[in-house]
């Protein structure tokens, strides 16, 4: 097949291609349920009454994006791409020839101004008027179209609840009223501006049950901590048995209220989770020791069980200190160990008798724990 014959076959298809558009402008914008976005576009540099205001609004409850255009003048847009030769006859735009249905007053005529005709590149019969709006990630809602518009509104369903979509605005024309029901297509412009739209969704929308549950968890652990802290407000217990009861109670609470590791994009849920974990930390770092004699003097008996218990408590506190990343918790652990060292060392110092092998063993274990604490924690 000859090259000439191929060109003859392709020529009818080439006639359907619109002329190259001007360089596209890209704008990044964002919208939320509480904040729309408005842009101003000038169709002409010599007259402000040809300015167009374009507004983007997000309806989160219904998952819709609305694009509207408003001008001082009346507007006309092509809802579908339309070839000049198909829709224009003798300088007039013929509504019945449009590739879609557009309402207009009976008998209305739409004449193209000389300036508008002159702005259309030759050969005019091949020129394609662009659909006024193009989009990605959106599904247009059904609408009735009009030839004459005080303003233009397009509503879209946002596909898959996306957080990023795009809208491109193309041909926008201005109408000027003439005698009777006649209109003049005064001037127009291929805007060719692409809006990259970031949709700022409310991460808490539709999560009322989760929020209520998270807040209820905070109240529950708060009540548990306050009752626990009320019983052991003094920070001391009278005996080893009482200390064991304290430890068991504390462990039951920590088992009942495990720390939550989950993170939420919803601030209300995350705040409640942080509050819950704060009370759990308060339980975890709560400290009690055996009440020591108030009056100084010789210690008559050396309680080896108590000494062993306090040595273990120091070791546990040091172990927790080494893994903790919370500076406040680490400071509390150091303070608790210092209290133990002060009390136990004071008891040992006031014991006037020769120690038995059992007492020496208990003191040796305690001294090792004390030295490990002083070497490790600062």
């Amino acid at each position: 097949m000859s090259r000439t014959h191929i060109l003859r076959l392709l020529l009818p298809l080439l006639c359907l291609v619109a002329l190259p558009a001007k360089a596209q402008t890209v704008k990044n914008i964002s919208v939320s349920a509480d904040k729309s976005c408005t842009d101003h576009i000038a169709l002409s540099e010599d007259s402000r009454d040809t300015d167009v205001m374009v507004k983007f609004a997000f309806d989160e409850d219904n998952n819709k994006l609305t694009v509207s255009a408003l001008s001082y003048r009346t507007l006309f847009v092509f809802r579908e791409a339309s070839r000049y030769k198909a829709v224009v006859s003798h300088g007039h735009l013929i509504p019945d020839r449009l590739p879609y249905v557009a309402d207009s007053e009976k008998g209305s005529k739409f004449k193209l101004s000389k300036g508008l005709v002159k702005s259309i590149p030759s050969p005019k019969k091949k020129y394609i008027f662009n659909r006024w709006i193009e989009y990605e990630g959106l599904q247009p809602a059904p609408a009735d179209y009009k030839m004459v518009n005080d303003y233009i509104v397009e509503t879209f369903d946002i596909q898959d609840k996306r957080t990023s979509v795009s809208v491109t605005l193309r041909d926008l024309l201005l109408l000027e009223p003439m005698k009777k029901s006649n209109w003049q297509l005064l001037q127009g412009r291929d805007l060719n501006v692409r809006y990259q739209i970031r949709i700022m969704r409310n991460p808490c929308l539709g999560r009322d049950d989760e929020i209520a549950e998270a807040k209820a968890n905070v109240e529950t652990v708060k009540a548990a901590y306050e009752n626990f802290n009320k019983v052991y407000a003094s920070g001391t217990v009278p005996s080893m048995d009482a200390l064991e009861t304290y430890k068991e109670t504390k462990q039951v609470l920590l088992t009942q209220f495990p720390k939550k590791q989950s993170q939420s994009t919803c601030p209300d849920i995350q705040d409640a989770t942080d509050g819950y974990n704060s009370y759990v930390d308060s339980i975890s770092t709560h400290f009690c020791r055996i009440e020591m004699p108030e009056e100084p003097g010789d210690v008559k008996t050396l309680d080896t069980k108590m000494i062993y218990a306090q040595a273990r408590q120091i070791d546990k506190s040091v172990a927790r200190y080494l893994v903790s990343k919370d500076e406040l918790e680490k400071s509390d652990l150091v303070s608790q160990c210092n209290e133990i060292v002060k009390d136990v060392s004071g008891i040992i110092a006031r014991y006037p008798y020769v120690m038995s092998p059992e007492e020496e063993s208990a003191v040796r274990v305690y001294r090792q724990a004390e030295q490990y604490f002083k070497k490790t924690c600062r």
Side-chain angles (χ1 to χ4, degrees), residues 43 49-50 71-77 93 103-104 108-113 116 146-150 152 172-178 181-188:
L43 295 188
D49 68 354
T50 62
S71 176
Y72 296 107
R73 293 179 177 270
T74 307
L75 298 172
F76 170 78
V77 295
L93 178 67
D103 293 336
S104 63
S108 295
K109 294 182 179 180
F110 299 87
K111 182 181 179 180
L112 278 66
S113 70
L116 179 59
K146 296 180 179 180
M147 293 292 294
V148 179
N149 303 273
D150 292 328
I152 298 171
L172 192 64
L173 295 93
L174 301 178
L175 287 173
E176 186 174 59
M178 301 175 69
S181 300
N182 296 333
W183 294 86
Q184 180 176 230
L185 287 152
L186 184 62
Q187 68 180 76

Side-chain angles (χ1 to χ4, degrees), residues 59-72:
D59 178 358
E60 186 161 16
D61 290 334
N62 296 301
N63 191 41
K64 292 183 182 296
L65 179 73
T66 299
V67 183
S68 56
L70 177 67
S71 176
Y72 296 107

Side-chain angles (χ1 to χ4, degrees), residues 342-358:
K342 177 182 176 182
D343 291 338
V344 177
S345 295
I347 291 173
I348 296 172
R350 298 198 306 274
Y351 185 61
Y353 306 105
V354 177
M355 294 184 185
S356 67
E358 182 181 356

Side-chain angles (χ1 to χ4, degrees), residues 26-191:
V26 179
K27 298 184 178 183
N28 295 302
I29 64 173
S30 62
V31 293
S32 68
D34 301 324
K35 184 180 179 182
S36 60
C37 180
T38 303
D39 191 22
H40 293 267
I41 301 174
L43 295 188
S44 173
E45 296 180 358
D46 56 3
S47 176
R48 290 194 61 186
D49 68 354
T50 62
D51 288 358
V52 176
M53 181 178 72
V54 181
K55 182 178 180 180
F56 300 84
F58 173 47
D59 178 358
E60 186 161 16
D61 290 334
N62 296 301
N63 191 41
K64 292 183 182 296
L65 179 73
T66 299
V67 183
S68 56
L70 177 67
S71 176
Y72 296 107
R73 293 179 177 270
T74 307
L75 298 172
F76 170 78
V77 295
F78 290 92
R79 304 289 181 165
E80 297 291 345
S82 304
R83 188 165 56 175
Y84 183 96
K85 181 180 179 180
V87 298
V88 176
S89 177
H90 302 291
H92 286 75
L93 178 67
I94 312 301
D96 290 343
R97 293 187 181 180
L98 292 170
Y100 55 89
V101 177
D103 293 336
S104 63
E105 188 175 343
K106 187 176 182 180
S108 295
K109 294 182 179 180
F110 299 87
K111 182 181 179 180
L112 278 66
S113 70
K114 292 181 180 179
L116 179 59
V117 173
K118 187 177 179 180
S119 70
I120 298 174
S122 297
K124 291 179 174 52
K125 64 179 181 179
K126 297 181 180 179
Y127 184 75
I128 303 293
F129 292 107
N130 293 297
R131 180 181 187 176
W132 95 280
I133 190 167
E134 300 165 355
Y135 43 85
E136 294 179 8
L138 300 167
Q139 179 64 41
D144 295 327
Y145 302 143
K146 296 180 179 180
M147 293 292 294
V148 179
N149 303 273
D150 292 328
Y151 56 87
I152 298 171
V153 177
E154 293 273 4
T155 301
F156 300 91
D157 292 318
I158 303 171
Q159 297 176 340
D160 304 320
K161 291 192 173 182
R162 299 185 184 191
T163 56
S164 179
V165 298
S166 73
V167 168
T168 302
L169 301 185
R170 300 300 303 269
D171 290 2
L172 192 64
L173 295 93
L174 301 178
L175 287 173
E176 186 174 59
M178 301 175 69
K179 293 181 180 180
K180 297 182 180 180
S181 300
N182 296 333
W183 294 86
Q184 180 176 230
L185 287 152
L186 184 62
Q187 68 180 76
R189 178 183 165 194
D190 180 4
L191 304 179

Side-chain angles (χ1 to χ4, degrees), residues 300-304 307-308 348 351 353-366:
K300 304 304 181 183
T301 59
L302 202 58
D303 189 340
T304 56
I307 293 176
Y308 278 122
I348 296 172
Y351 185 61
Y353 306 105
V354 177
M355 294 184 185
S356 67
E358 182 181 356
E359 291 170 337
E360 288 181 350
S361 177
V363 171
R364 184 169 55 254
V365 169
Y366 162 74

Side-chain angles (χ1 to χ4, degrees), residues 217 220-221 224-225 252-259 276 280 283:
N217 288 339
T220 302
V221 71
Y225 167 73
V252 168
L253 290 176
L254 292 176
T255 302
Q256 182 180 354
F257 300 105
K259 202 163 185 178
Y276 171 94
V280 174
I283 295 172

